[in-house]
Amino acid sequence: DSGVTQTPKHLITATGQRVTLRCSPRSGDLSVYWYQQSLDQGLQFLIQYYNGEERAKGNILERFSAQQFPDLHSELNLSSLELGDSALYFCASSVAPHGNTEAFFGQGTRLTVV
Amino acid sequence: GQQVMQIPQYQHVQEGEDFTTYCNSSTTLSNIQWYKQRPGGHPVFLIQLVKSGEVKKQKRLTFQFGEAKKNSSLHITATQTTDVGTYFCAASPAGFGNEKLTFGTGTRLTIIP
């Protein structure tokens, strides 16, 4: 158990809909990362937050947004969903804001868009 | 932007054979990390390398960081079925603002018993 909790584990929704993925970081970790992993693909960095502030942005679509709340949990919002958005979405957390500390991954949310 | 490539993409080995995956960056790195993702699982941190030319060992696994801090390798000696999974390197660029942890494309290892 990494200490990072993601909900829900599975999500099936229709094209055009909007969903929210939730992540609770490990106790004491201030940094949260979101990654997208399509079938048999690598991990695509989406966005990073540190202590409530956005710190780094990857190839995140405009239809996607995220935020980190005062209690440090984070949500990833995906709207106007398309079939190609079907993927495994991972959240990871780390102690420091920069990328040179160990990242702990959650179990992921598997999103299926039909 | 920074790109991190890994080769090979897939590797099938007989149990007991050695395995190596290579990671190459287009830019100088602050550090490099290695993660393992078992089938159906999530990435799990294995190790971090920081110094130029650094070599670290974990039992049958040997990790190296290149002298120029642009490449790295993971070598597994005498593979076992428990080594099955996808191995990712992850890197942060050198310099100020090295926030983003960029993952390599991964190498999927399968073991033939």
Side-chain angles (χ1 to χ4, degrees):
Chain A
D1 182 12
S2 65
V4 178
T5 304
Q6 285 188 250
T7 56
K9 288 188 178 179
H10 301 278
L11 199 49
I12 302 175
T13 190
T15 55
Q17 295 298 304
R18 171 189 168 96
V19 297
T20 298
L21 312 184
R22 183 187 168 102
C23 170
S24 293
R26 231 172 39 124
S27 178
D29 285 356
L30 300 178
S31 192
V32 170
Y33 304 79
W34 285 98
Y35 291 88
Q36 179 193 56
Q37 186 174 44
S38 301
L39 190 62
D40 292 338
Q41 297 294 312
L43 291 153
Q44 299 298 317
F45 171 73
L46 297 178
I47 199 163
Q48 183 207 355
Y49 284 85
Y50 178 77
N51 204 20
E53 300 288 327
E54 181 184 306
R55 291 297 290 250
K57 216 166 184 175
N59 295 324
I60 186 167
L61 299 172
E62 285 191 10
R63 300 183 286 108
F64 296 1
S65 65
Q67 60 185 116
Q68 187 179 28
F69 295 86
D71 67 353
L72 302 177
H73 90 272
S74 179
E75 292 182 356
L76 178 67
N77 300 296
L78 315 176
S79 61
S80 301
L81 286 167
E82 302 174 359
L83 295 178
D85 297 327
S86 296
L88 197 50
Y89 290 85
F90 284 109
C91 164
S93 73
S94 64
V95 170
H98 39 74
N100 59 5
T101 55
E102 176 181 355
F104 294 86
F105 281 77
Q107 300 287 337
T109 293
R110 182 169 296 282
L111 172 66
T112 303
V113 182
V114 296
Chain B
Q2 178 186 315
Q3 291 194 4
V4 181
M5 301 299 296
Q6 267 184 269
I7 54 171
Q9 189 175 1
Y10 300 95
Q11 186 78 56
H12 311 282
V13 300
Q14 290 277 354
E15 187 176 6
E17 290 183 343
D18 293 356
F19 158 77
T20 304
T21 173
Y22 300 90
C23 182
N24 296 290
S25 168
S26 55
T27 58
T28 303
L29 302 172
S30 166
N31 72 91
I32 197 153
Q33 300 177 8
W34 284 91
Y35 290 78
K36 176 183 178 181
Q37 185 177 19
R38 292 181 185 274
H42 60 279
V44 175
F45 176 83
L46 294 176
I47 209 161
Q48 175 172 283
L49 304 171
V50 179
K51 299 177 184 176
S52 169
E54 189 171 12
V55 178
K56 285 188 177 180
K57 292 191 175 185
Q58 286 180 353
K59 297 183 180 177
R60 294 178 295 104
L61 279 60
T62 302
F63 304 84
Q64 288 190 321
F65 201 7
E67 293 290 339
K69 299 185 76 171
K70 284 188 173 183
N71 56 71
S72 179
S73 65
L74 158 59
H75 180 81
I76 302 178
T77 303
T79 54
Q80 300 175 359
T81 54
T82 53
D83 296 324
V84 163
T86 301
Y87 292 84
F88 291 99
C89 61
S92 294
F96 177 76
N98 55 342
E99 309 288 353
K100 196 166 71 171
L101 193 61
T102 299
F103 278 75
T105 45
T107 296
R108 176 178 288 186
L109 172 65
T110 55
I111 307 289
I112 306 164

